[in-house]
Amino acid sequence: MKHLRSWNPDSKENINRNIKAVIYLLCIFSMAISFYSCGSSKGSSIVTDDPEKAYLIAKSKYDKREYLDAIDDFNLVKLKFSGSSIIDKAVFYLGMSYYKREEYILAIYEFESLIKNYPSSSFGEDARYMLAMCYNGLSPEYNLDQTYTRYAINEFQNYLELYPKGKNASDADRRITDLRTKLALKSLKSADLYYNLGNYKSALIYYDNVLNEFFDTKYADDALYGKIQTLIVKKRYDEAKKEVERFENKFITSEYLSRVKSLKGQLPY
């Protein structure tokens, strides 16, 4: 299953616009720090005027996991041989060097640059996937702001739309599931918090968010059980009865089934 149903186009555009503005600002700042830090280093050792040889020198650093040196070399290749046939793969491995150092913002900049400026590159599919992986790396624990999580989902979906049979398709689909599960958990915890605080209106909003947006995740039965409890507290018995029936039909193996049946016995008929 390719989870493509949950994102409103308008909100996607807003996320794209806001996040990219932040990304580029952070990228400029990070690059400034990087160049400042490299001022005291040896910098690139490449002296050849042959683009292919220069690329191979940089790639050898990458292959030896000397990522900081590889970054120096690939940046030189990028500047010195911008019109050559090796530029797209140099940009890709520059992004990969940043990624390996967990400098995801800088990696995002390079992968996006490759996708935009070299659309026919043989590295296009890999760049698209790694762009998603960068945002996946930036995705925090569930209790923190989940903007990067949503952006990661969006980029994995973009990958699947462009490369439905791509070599990373199954992994992208699995990661979407994991990221959506994280969003579901965040909404569920918010719902439980509001329920415990006695703010039942807000609790219902968050339980419904899990049920409407993340019904395919493992937290759907938790949310429906919480919603039933909340409806009973609010004395909205007719709605509670419908949700009990829904639970019994959808979650016959849930750990909450016996509790739901107990709640059902308390409802007036």
Side-chain angles (χ1 to χ4, degrees):
M1 179 171 57
K2 305 295 187 286
H3 313 274
L4 302 176
R5 62 178 179 81
S6 301
W7 307 106
N8 180 281
D10 293 333
S11 61
K12 182 190 289 187
E13 290 176 4
N14 288 336
I15 291 173
N16 286 350
R17 185 165 50 249
N18 294 336
I19 290 295
K20 284 186 177 180
V22 173
I23 291 297
Y24 287 127
L25 287 173
L26 288 174
C27 185
I28 291 170
F29 178 71
S30 298
M31 288 179 74
I33 293 176
S34 178
F35 287 136
Y36 175 81
S37 299
C38 290
S40 58
S41 70
K42 63 180 181 178
S44 175
S45 59
I46 294 176
V47 294
T48 181
D49 289 326
D50 184 321
E52 186 66 31
K53 287 182 179 178
Y55 165 76
L56 290 174
I57 292 170
K59 181 63 163 53
S60 69
K61 302 283 182 61
Y62 176 86
D63 292 339
K64 290 186 286 187
R65 301 183 182 182
E66 297 172 0
Y67 300 123
L68 194 57
D69 288 339
I71 287 168
D72 286 339
D73 286 350
F74 282 125
N75 268 314
L76 179 64
V77 172
K78 183 179 173 183
L79 291 171
K80 190 173 181 179
F81 306 108
S82 59
S84 69
S85 61
I86 53 87
I87 188 62
D88 59 331
K89 55 187 178 181
V91 172
F92 176 77
Y93 281 107
L94 175 57
M96 286 301 301
S97 298
Y98 285 127
Y99 177 82
K100 294 292 187 178
R101 286 176 52 80
E102 299 184 3
E103 296 177 5
Y104 298 124
I105 299 298
L106 292 171
I108 286 169
Y109 180 84
E110 300 303 333
F111 293 132
E112 286 195 332
S113 175
L114 192 154
I115 291 167
K116 178 181 178 181
N117 297 321
Y118 311 100
S120 61
S121 170
S122 60
F123 287 86
E125 178 182 343
D126 289 332
R128 178 68 67 178
Y129 173 74
M130 290 308 304
L131 177 60
M133 286 296 292
C134 287
Y135 285 111
N136 186 73
L138 290 167
S139 175
E141 295 296 320
Y142 79 87
N143 56 315
L144 302 175
D145 179 81
Q146 294 300 308
T147 300
Y148 283 128
T149 302
R150 293 184 176 88
Y151 210 64
I153 291 171
N154 181 52
E155 292 300 340
F156 280 123
Q157 288 177 340
N158 285 341
Y159 174 85
L160 288 172
E161 288 171 4
L162 290 168
Y163 308 101
K165 296 183 179 180
K167 59 186 177 182
N168 295 305
S170 60
D171 184 71
D173 196 54
R174 179 183 63 79
R175 290 184 186 277
I176 288 174
T177 297
D178 292 343
L179 292 164
R180 284 171 50 76
T181 299
K182 185 188 292 188
L183 293 180
L185 179 59
K186 183 176 179 65
S187 285
L188 177 66
K189 291 297 185 180
S190 295
D192 290 342
L193 176 62
Y194 282 122
Y195 179 87
N196 291 330
L197 292 173
N199 187 341
Y200 302 118
K201 181 178 179 180
S202 294
L204 285 173
I205 290 172
Y206 281 95
Y207 285 133
D208 276 334
N209 183 60
V210 178
L211 295 170
N212 293 333
E213 300 296 332
F214 309 109
F215 197 80
D216 56 335
T217 71
K218 65 182 180 180
Y219 295 113
D221 59 334
D222 299 71
L224 190 51
Y225 171 64
K227 182 178 181 180
I228 292 168
Q229 285 185 302
T230 308
L231 290 171
I232 292 174
V233 171
K234 295 281 288 180
K235 297 183 180 180
R236 292 161 57 174
Y237 300 126
D238 288 340
E239 293 176 67
K241 291 174 187 176
K242 290 179 181 179
E243 296 296 7
V244 166
E245 182 179 359
R246 182 186 182 190
F247 195 104
E248 290 176 329
N249 290 332
K250 295 292 184 179
F251 301 112
I252 58 175
T253 61
S254 171
E255 63 180 294
Y256 297 107
L257 183 59
S258 60
R259 302 184 205 179
V260 169
K261 289 184 179 294
S262 178
L263 291 173
K264 181 181 180 179
Q266 301 172 25
L267 291 170
Y269 282 88

